[in-house]
Amino acid sequence: MAHAPESSVDLKQYEVSAERGFLPDPDPEAALPRPLALWQELAGELPKRLAAQRVRAAVRSLPGFDLAALRSPAEERAAMRVLSFLGHAFVWEGGAPDPVLPRQLAQPWCAIARRLGRPPVLSYGSYALDNWRRFDARGPLRVENLAILQNFLGGQDEDWFILIHVEIEALAARALRAAPGAREAASRGDGAALTARLEEVASALEAMLATLRRMPERCDPYVYFTRVRPFIHGWKNHPALPGGIVYEGVAELRGPQRLRGETGAQSTIVPVLDALLGVEHAPDPLREYLDEMRGYMPPHHRAFLEHVEGEGKPRPASRRRAKAIGGVRAAVRELRGARPELAEAYDACLRWLEAFRTLHLEYAAKYIHAQAGGGANPSDVGTGGTPFMKYLAKHRDETAADRLG
């Protein structure tokens, strides 16, 4: 269904869809081109190979990865997905990490990562945004109509964990397409238009929260921690890989690399909403980490975030935030006397965002912090390698504190 423009911004220039947000349009490529069939075959066998601990030997026996076989950006993203899953399966197979990626994997992985403007590590873009297909090609982007393209061990819990994120991304489209229009309405002092855009954001957040609440339906905390989480760790601030890993044969990478693991913090949705609503987070390790996560986002999505923040090009985080706060929030405070419904719409956005963060905190406690972790799968840090519990609570509280009513 087409939507009427809500601002002068062309969302397509940021690879944002009015119908599906940051999810790709058209749907992701399901497989690599035929010349790369052996790579695709091994990726499809990961659940069996990991169970038998036969991934590393299989990777070392693969033929060269023919980069010339990739003829489109969609195929490059499919290659990034396959190489990222193979890379993490290689490193984390059996729980004792191998700190040296062989050149036949390291070289094409780094080459594709450079093309896509992302680091050579499994990130949210490959784990969720580019990792789904629809059963009914004309049906909705909802968990009941979705399947995962690539797994590690496989199973219902792994699929459901990823698919909940995919549906949330689709539901966020309503907020993303409203964000530029909200900024424009705020800049011209149009209270009616700003109210309408904020109501769209609040409705999107309500739907996103409803989907997030479904996580426990088919993703058990213990199964998540023991079967899903071990393979999405990275190699920065990880106790089992304190020095990072070596990408063999990649001349431009000097020495071991330390890169963050896959995490929902690499999704651009919540940073966009924080920027739009002027939510301020006082300095802490999590805020520094979230700023670092921008480098793991697809570049066009990062550019959209910077647009919502009101910047034409990247600038220091403190200056970005200062400018963002002078936008929608300032307009709401100025206009709310004549338009009390505007303040109500703004506060509704913050209430839903607070509720979203509250539930995320509850899941972090149940799915990670309460589990018995250690070694290659610690429970005191996230997959990105940072402590999280007290800072997630702080960010939730700062969201609540910004309400006007």
Side-chain angles (χ1 to χ4, degrees):
M1 178 180 178
H3 296 274
E6 296 179 343
S7 78
S8 62
V9 174
D10 179 8
L11 295 177
K12 291 182 179 179
Q13 70 175 308
Y14 298 110
E15 295 182 358
V16 178
S17 163
E19 290 77 28
R20 54 177 72 183
F22 292 122
L23 296 177
D25 188 6
D27 295 3
E29 286 285 344
L32 297 179
R34 185 173 299 175
L36 300 168
L38 290 177
W39 289 81
Q40 184 66 55
E41 181 182 337
L42 178 56
E45 287 187 345
L46 275 188
K48 302 298 185 184
R49 293 270 183 176
L50 282 169
Q53 296 190 26
R54 295 183 62 85
V55 170
R56 290 173 184 162
V59 167
R60 291 190 177 101
S61 68
L62 281 169
F65 191 100
D66 183 9
L67 293 169
L70 304 173
R71 300 301 180 91
S72 69
E75 289 185 352
E76 290 177 352
R77 291 194 297 271
M80 185 67 172
R81 180 183 67 235
V82 166
L83 292 168
S84 297
F85 271 79
L86 288 175
H88 278 245
F90 183 96
V91 170
W92 295 114
E93 181 180 65
D98 188 325
V100 181
L101 282 170
R103 66 182 62 242
Q104 62 262 51
L105 174 58
Q107 289 176 337
W109 195 8
C110 289
I112 294 301
R114 282 194 301 273
R115 292 186 190 182
L116 296 178
R118 287 152 52 187
V121 71
L122 177 64
S123 59
Y124 184 82
S126 296
Y127 192 63
L129 299 182
D130 293 324
N131 192 23
W132 53 273
R133 65 178 176 87
R134 287 184 283 182
F135 293 112
D136 177 356
R138 297 184 178 182
L141 293 170
R142 298 294 179 265
V143 288
E144 289 80 9
N145 191 41
L146 294 171
I148 293 305
L149 293 171
Q150 180 65 59
N151 296 92
F152 284 112
L153 290 179
Q156 173 177 263
D157 301 80
E158 182 179 357
D159 282 13
W160 191 255
F161 175 73
I162 298 172
L163 291 177
I164 287 293
H165 287 82
V166 174
E167 181 171 305
I168 288 171
E169 291 286 337
L171 292 170
R174 191 175 179 183
L176 299 179
R177 67 176 182 256
R183 287 188 67 249
E184 292 175 10
S187 67
R188 65 177 183 266
D190 186 341
L194 182 54
T195 300
R197 298 291 82 78
L198 290 177
E199 288 173 346
E200 289 287 303
V201 173
S203 294
L205 275 163
E206 182 180 8
M208 290 160 57
L209 179 62
T211 293
L212 185 61
R213 286 187 176 125
R214 298 189 63 188
M215 183 67 79
E217 288 181 20
R218 301 183 194 175
C219 184
D220 176 80
Y222 175 78
V223 176
Y224 165 78
F225 190 82
T226 56
R227 285 179 53 89
V228 179
R229 189 174 187 259
F231 298 100
I232 60 178
H233 286 284
W235 25 92
K236 181 173 183 178
N237 295 354
H238 194 288
L241 283 171
I245 68 170
V246 173
Y247 291 74
E248 189 179 70
V250 182
E252 66 269 24
L253 298 182
R254 299 181 181 276
Q257 302 298 301
R258 301 173 69 242
L259 295 169
R260 301 287 190 184
E262 191 282 330
T263 166
Q266 293 161 359
S267 168
T268 318
I269 297 172
V270 171
V272 163
L273 295 176
D274 274 350
L276 176 68
L277 300 171
V279 175
E280 267 286 81
H281 300 297
D284 62 47
L286 181 59
R287 197 187 83 174
E288 296 172 7
Y289 166 73
L290 294 176
D291 284 335
E292 184 183 350
M293 288 301 94
R294 292 170 180 247
Y296 293 73
M297 297 173 183
H300 286 85
H301 299 173
R302 185 166 64 245
F304 181 75
L305 169 58
E306 289 160 2
H307 171 79
V308 174
E309 289 173 326
E311 299 290 344
K313 58 183 179 180
R315 298 190 184 181
S318 59
R319 293 181 64 186
R320 290 197 302 262
R321 292 193 184 93
K323 189 161 186 176
I325 289 173
V328 168
R329 182 176 174 83
V332 172
R333 297 184 72 170
E334 180 180 347
L335 300 171
R336 62 176 172 168
R339 288 188 173 274
E341 71 276 9
L342 175 57
E344 292 172 7
Y346 177 81
D347 279 355
C349 292
L350 290 175
R351 280 194 299 271
W352 288 118
L353 184 56
E354 177 196 356
F356 193 88
R357 282 192 155 114
T358 296
L359 185 56
H360 179 239
L361 176 61
E362 292 174 6
Y363 287 167
K366 182 184 299 184
Y367 282 76
I368 303 172
H369 197 63
Q371 302 300 316
N377 192 22
S379 59
D380 57 341
V381 295
T383 49
T386 59
F388 54 89
M389 288 299 293
K390 70 177 181 179
Y391 300 117
L392 288 175
K394 172 177 168 291
H395 285 212
R396 173 205 59 196
D397 295 343
E398 288 167 337
T399 304
D402 278 336
R403 290 205 302 266
L404 298 177

